[in-house]
Amino acid sequence: MMRILVCLAVLLAAPATTASSDATPTAERPRIGLVLSGGGARGAAHIGVLKVLERHRIPVDVIAGTSFGAIIGGLYATGLSAGELEEQLLAVDWEFALSDTVPRRLRSLRRKDDDDNFLVKFKLGVNDGEIGLPPGVILNEHFRVLLREYARGGATVTDFDELPIPFRAVAADIETGEPVVLGEGSLVQSILASMAVPGLFPPVKLDGRLLVDGGIANNVPIDIARAMGADILIVVDISSQPKPQAEIESFLDVVSQMVTIMTLRTAEQQMATLGPRDVAIRPDLKDISTADFKRTPEAIPFGEAAAEAELQSLAALSLNETAWAAYQAGRGQMSPTPTEVDFVRLDNDSALDNRVILELLDVHPGRPLDPERLEEGIIKVYGLDYFESVDYELVREGGRTGLEVTARERSWGPDYLRFGLAIQDNFEGDATYNAAISYTDLGINSRGGEWRSFLQVGDDPQVFTEIYQPVDYGQQWFVLGNVTARSLNAPLIDPDRNIIAEFRLKAAEFFLAGGRNLGNWGRLAFGAAYEVGDVSVRIGNPAIPTGSFEEADLIAVFQIDTLDNADFPRTGLATNIFYRNGLPILGSDATDDQVQIELFKAWSWGANTLLGSAEFGTGFNGRATAQSLFELGGFVSLSGFSRGELTGRHVTQAGAIYYRQIGGRGGVLLNIPIYMGATVEAGNVWQDLDDFAVDELIVGSSLFLGAETAIGPIYVGGGVNTEGATSFFLFLGQFF
């Protein structure tokens, strides 16, 4: 995606004239209007038509477009050629563009923490105690970024008649259903309003009206182009036809059929008004549906073929080479984005202090304006999870250029609930099932303090609550405090690895820490923890010693997280270095120091990924307790063993996980990636570090199928190791 944006920035930066009069036809020829209908992914056919018009020197003097037609028409109106539009469209990552997830590399470590605890990605908003849902399945922030980059040259244009080709976008008022013609204001906002499919994308609020996709009101805006002064129209209609009854099977089919019928009704009314000199082009797009965005390249040649079939009618509109050169020179491209801004204005309706947002934007009056850095800052602000949308415009006031940023708090609630489920089962009686719910209260103060609480029920019940407080407006320094109450089962295993009893551990922990965030990639924290609890025999000989315990520790943590995905990463690094110093002076039963290092690194090529892992942990300088021992066993942890089957004061393990995506790449809007993979690990635990020996390393391996689902990553497979242990497993949740 960034390659697309950089290329477009270069294309749009080419200097040229901007006056619309340059594109005005001379008295010797009629004024030609181009009408581009909506049709979702089928809209790429419009580019094919434009290629034919340019190839045969047919000028366009005004453009009216709806939905995808507004996207292509609006960008063409800024001066992009058909070839340039095709080049960029072919490179679009539609899965990313039509998603609502901020790239993980641009999210803060705090927001990356939200991926922990196997929580469902979908969030329910909470506002004044009421649960709310977002106004659209996709909040289109990524598509907004893409459009801003495409239309960068027209960033300061507020009258669409001042574009190289005058342009109108058509939307619909969701309150009345009436068509709304957009010819001024923000070009990007107007396009977004025109393509805001109800339920899929959120409505766009402009001038007090709530606007949605114009297809439901006027999908082929012929009357709009005529009102712009067009004498002859070239109309490209890519409307879908209704499906036969036999093909209507799912809920989505029913919704699609309803929208198709609504748009066809207005389209037929508009097409009936065409005159004898007008040219209608209706590409045969075969089975390409409105949602087949990954098939958009296939639609371009269908548009070309349909336009070539109408060349006999189009030939009368063709210019000679001299007139065409004059038209092209007059049309040109928009002027480049200003290199500096004289002022920055922020419209922020959240409880978050403006200084927090401005620190992330990192734009300063009088300094060079870096468009890519500005876009990245906008996405970082959006990634705070406070806002429904974060947008900007370049404005001209009194001869000065300013940056105006608008940040709109989430209407369905800045606070949110998340749910989750975790399952581990080896089909031999060793299974755990846990369900969780978390509540995050964002913006408890203007510096971005937050309160998060977490409840887990099941085999390992847990209650957690935490206050997190940034110290500075840049949110680099922070303090936090949390309390955890937990209960879990732990096996007692003899030297032959037989489970001879099962303990029930109950504990409460108090933790205070402070630290520094290292950009979006790392964190350094120091703190103190105090834990009390007791251990009882749940299954087995009741004479086994049990009792209460007490631990007090100083703790230091260094984390790096640049993984692009928390479930099935393809690139990036994750490192966790943990140091614990026991404090017997405070009554701690564990008096030893402990160091643990964990590392994950991902490499990818094509559909393949290799994830390397390493772990080292050791205790020293004192006495360890059962609660402080390291564990191995389970999926990707010496596969073949049961979870936590090996325990020791020292641990070493290294491994490799390979997986290949074998499914879920055909769609965009509904997409569940499926993977097939294998793992190999080597490691062991020791009670005494002097006992470490390479020939005592145990090697485990597994084969698995995995899926990245709405409730978290799921793995099903089987494992074996050199100790002869084998297991089958069902695993729901993160393994790192």
Side-chain angles (χ1 to χ4, degrees), residues 27 40 124 146 167 195 245 296 311 372 403 424 431 643 666 687 715:
L124 285 176
L146 183 146
F167 169 71
M195 57 162 278
Q245 180 178 335
T296 52
L311 275 182
E372 287 189 32
L403 175 69
Q424 295 186 58
R643 179 176 60 103
Q687 302 306 321
Y715 311 85

Side-chain angles (χ1 to χ4, degrees), residues 111 114 123-124 126 385 414-418 438-440 442:
R111 294 286 69 86
D114 291 343
K123 302 173 183 177
L124 285 176
V126 180
D385 277 352
D415 307 335
Y416 54 85
L417 290 169
R418 295 185 76 181
S438 76
Y439 173 75
T440 302
L442 291 174

Side-chain angles (χ1 to χ4, degrees), residues 470-495:
V471 176
D472 60 317
Y473 289 108
Q475 298 191 334
Q476 293 181 324
W477 298 94
F478 66 88
V479 294
L480 65 83
N482 60 53
V483 179
T484 306
R486 59 191 174 94
S487 180
L488 58 88
N489 298 325
L492 178 63
I493 302 173
D494 67 14

Side-chain angles (χ1 to χ4, degrees), residues 339-369:
T339 57
E340 291 185 2
V341 293
D342 301 304
F343 62 90
V344 178
R345 181 186 300 143
L346 177 60
D347 181 7
N348 163 35
D349 65 356
S350 75
L352 203 61
D353 193 284
N354 285 352
R355 284 170 287 187
V356 175
I357 298 174
L358 293 173
E359 285 278 354
L360 288 174
L361 292 176
D362 195 23
V363 176
H364 304 278
R367 295 185 187 177
L369 180 64

Side-chain angles (χ1 to χ4, degrees), residues 71-86:
I71 298 172
I72 301 301
L75 297 176
Y76 193 69
T78 66
L80 286 174
S81 70
E84 291 165 343
L85 280 174
E86 179 183 31

Side-chain angles (χ1 to χ4, degrees), residues 419-432:
F419 302 88
L421 182 68
I423 298 173
Q424 295 186 58
D425 195 338
N426 66 357
F427 305 106
E428 295 182 359
D430 181 19
T432 60

Side-chain angles (χ1 to χ4, degrees), residues 93-132:
D93 181 350
W94 286 103
E95 187 172 341
F96 174 78
L98 296 177
S99 71
D100 187 39
T101 304
V102 173
R104 206 165 182 273
R105 67 178 182 83
L106 295 179
R107 297 169 65 190
S108 67
L109 262 290
R110 187 67 183 172
R111 294 286 69 86
K112 290 177 183 178
D113 289 343
D114 291 343
D115 294 331
D116 296 340
N117 303 311
F118 49 83
L119 295 176
V120 177
K121 295 179 177 63
F122 183 76
K123 302 173 183 177
L124 285 176
V126 180
N127 194 355
D128 294 330
E130 295 185 2
I131 295 177

Side-chain angles (χ1 to χ4, degrees), residues 388-456:
E388 181 173 339
S389 66
V390 184
D391 202 2
Y392 75 85
E393 288 185 65
L394 291 171
V395 296
R396 294 285 295 174
E397 294 180 0
R400 303 170 71 228
T401 300
L403 175 69
E404 188 170 82
V405 178
T406 304
R408 290 285 166 260
E409 188 177 65
R410 290 188 172 183
S411 57
W412 63 99
D415 307 335
Y416 54 85
L417 290 169
R418 295 185 76 181
F419 302 88
L421 182 68
I423 298 173
Q424 295 186 58
D425 195 338
N426 66 357
F427 305 106
E428 295 182 359
D430 181 19
T432 60
Y433 302 86
N434 293 293
I437 180 174
S438 76
Y439 173 75
T440 302
D441 185 352
L442 291 174
I444 59 176
N445 54 53
S446 63
R447 292 183 186 240
E450 60 186 69
W451 171 43
R452 176 192 292 168
S453 295
F454 177 91
L455 172 65
Q456 178 172 292

